[in-house]
Amino acid sequence: MSDSSQDGTEERPERLYVITSGRSSASNDLDLVTLIVARTVPTAGMQPEHAAILSLCQAPLSVAEISAHTGLPASVVSVLISDLLDEQQVLTRPPVPPADLPDLSLIEKVIHGLQKL
């Protein structure tokens, strides 16, 4: 029986343990919608997963998106991003807030105005 799924995206627990140096939680408070932006580019000798995150985050990506692109669990990605934050290689941004909806009475006035046309 194989340790990976048919598409090859399932990681062996031992590998995930090694990637995170045995850590199971991030040192920084990140949630899945926190946006991550690289401040640097990958360098030679860098852990491949850190390099992949830096490459992906040249434009802002959420923790969930990074997890999807790398095929790593979000908990592992959070630990790796925390490493990069501690080394000041990435920045975090809060997610873009949903747009404020206009007042319902304004919408009704616009509709009435259009109906009069």
Side-chain angles (χ1 to χ4, degrees), residues 33-35 60 93-99:
V33 295
T34 301
L35 297 176
R93 290 186 187 168
V96 176

Side-chain angles (χ1 to χ4, degrees), residues 38-56:
R39 296 180 71 197
T40 63
V41 294
T43 58
M46 179 177 276
Q47 183 175 337
E49 294 79 12
H50 286 139
I53 291 170
L54 288 177
S55 294
L56 287 168

Side-chain angles (χ1 to χ4, degrees), residues 2-111:
S2 173
D3 285 328
S4 63
S5 64
Q6 289 180 350
D7 66 359
T9 59
E10 188 174 315
E11 294 289 337
R12 293 179 59 156
E14 301 86 16
R15 181 170 182 274
L16 299 177
Y17 182 85
V18 170
I19 290 171
T20 62
S21 301
R23 293 166 292 151
S24 60
S25 61
S27 62
N28 296 287
D29 190 25
L30 301 169
D31 63 33
L32 294 176
V33 295
T34 301
L35 297 176
I36 308 299
V37 183
R39 296 180 71 197
T40 63
V41 294
T43 58
M46 179 177 276
Q47 183 175 337
E49 294 79 12
H50 286 139
I53 291 170
L54 288 177
S55 294
L56 287 168
C57 294
Q58 295 303 307
L61 281 179
S62 70
V63 173
E65 290 171 311
I66 297 166
S67 175
H69 284 292
T70 60
L72 295 170
S75 59
V76 171
V77 169
S78 293
V79 170
L80 296 172
I81 291 170
S82 287
D83 294 344
L84 294 170
L85 278 167
D86 292 344
E87 296 168 6
Q88 299 182 348
Q89 293 184 338
V90 295
L91 297 171
T92 60
R93 290 186 187 168
V96 176
D100 292 328
L101 296 175
D103 184 32
L104 183 58
S105 64
L106 175 61
I107 294 172
E108 289 173 349
K109 288 177 186 177
V110 169
I111 291 172

